[in-house]
Amino acid sequence: MKTPVLAAVAALLLAGCASSVEVPHEPTDPQELFLGGLHTLCGRAYEGRVVTNDAADADFRGKRLVMQVSCADDGVRIPFWVGEDRSRTWVISHAGTGLRLKHDHRHADGTEDVLSQYGGDTVAPGTPERQEFPVDQFSKDLFTREGRTVSNTNVWAMEVRPREVFAYELRRPGRHFRVEFDLTRSVTPGRPVGAPAGAGGQRAAARSRPRSSSICRPWAASGCGARPAGRRRCAP
């Protein structure tokens, strides 16, 4: 009689052990899945092209457009290079219950441009493939102060479909800019003219453009015109 009883006790113990095993958590939040998609690109660079037709973006056609993805615990940084101009970096991070997109712009000596750190936070869950970032109050104040109120209605978006395409987008009334990057193959981003061998990342980006240059960014309304004091450039 002891054998059946022992078998029953053993079965109960095994059942208890099985129920205590933790099943790995699979994220279901669309924003976490979106970040997961970005993290599949870490350490790689990809070439892209402008797919919209705004006249303000004519300067970008015919130039090599490259993004390089760098991941850290505090977010994802994506330098966006237009030819030899490597002054632009997109920064995606957590912000409260959502995600935040900021634009980091630097001069050739590494100092920050007057128009920098603008962007916005998500206000909706979005999807695992697309997140939208309406302009935040900090950016509105910055644009107003710098005479670029046209940008106070900006909505930026990013899309990522691993092994297919990554897209950066800007929309506002009368303005649509979108650049798409081919994720089917990575590329070598190269280095700016005059940079020492091995220079890369933000160090290379900081050396890519003369401080005195005046360049319209793709998210500018149209045309730079004369550059006023304070090193102001075309606005987002």
Side-chain angles (χ1 to χ4, degrees):
M1 295 293 295
K2 290 183 178 181
T3 300
V5 172
L6 290 174
V9 171
L12 288 173
L13 289 174
L14 288 172
C17 290
S19 63
S20 65
V21 174
E22 293 186 3
V23 178
H25 173 69
E26 293 292 337
T28 58
D29 179 81
Q31 294 179 342
E32 292 304 316
L33 291 170
F34 176 82
L35 282 178
L38 283 182
H39 276 267
T40 66
L41 312 179
C42 294
R44 297 184 177 90
Y46 301 93
E47 198 160 349
R49 64 186 183 91
V50 175
V51 297
T52 44
N53 298 312
D54 279 19
D57 307 323
D59 189 54
F60 282 66
R61 298 181 180 89
K63 292 184 178 178
R64 191 184 188 214
L65 308 181
V66 176
M67 60 172 265
Q68 186 169 22
V69 184
S70 175
C71 301
D73 291 340
D74 59 349
V76 178
R77 297 181 65 86
I78 306 177
F80 172 44
W81 301 335
V82 181
E84 295 177 4
D85 177 7
R86 305 190 175 190
S87 61
R88 306 166 175 86
T89 299
W90 303 319
V91 184
I92 305 96
S93 61
H94 285 101
T97 59
L99 298 179
R100 173 170 294 163
L101 169 66
K102 287 293 182 177
H103 299 74
D104 187 341
H105 294 287
R106 301 279 164 172
H107 291 280
D109 61 1
T111 58
E112 199 163 36
D113 192 89
V114 172
L115 283 167
S116 185
Q117 303 308 323
Y118 58 84
D121 296 354
T122 57
V123 295
T127 72
E129 293 185 346
R130 180 180 172 91
Q131 294 291 319
E132 296 187 350
F133 307 87
V135 62
D136 59 20
Q137 191 59 49
F138 169 87
S139 304
K140 291 179 181 180
D141 293 342
L142 174 65
F143 296 150
T144 299
R145 185 169 65 249
E146 297 300 321
R148 301 305 305 178
T149 55
V150 66
S151 299
N152 285 348
T153 55
N154 282 2
V155 177
W156 297 276
M158 285 186 167
E159 295 178 13
V160 57
R161 298 194 296 275
R163 296 181 297 277
E164 293 184 32
V165 67
F166 171 90
Y168 168 95
E169 182 181 289
L170 164 68
R171 281 185 180 273
R172 65 172 177 253
R175 185 76 172 98
H176 183 203
F177 171 80
R178 181 180 173 94
V179 57
E180 295 183 353
F181 297 86
D182 179 7
L183 302 185
T184 63
R185 65 185 187 92
S186 58
V187 300
T188 301
R191 59 189 177 91
V193 175
Q202 295 303 303
R203 182 180 174 188
R207 298 179 177 178
S208 63
R209 172 167 49 87
R211 187 169 181 164
S212 62
S213 65
S214 180
I215 297 174
C216 282
R217 299 198 178 100
W219 34 88
S222 64
C224 282
R227 198 169 104 201
R231 298 186 297 179
R232 182 184 300 163
R233 287 181 168 74
C234 292

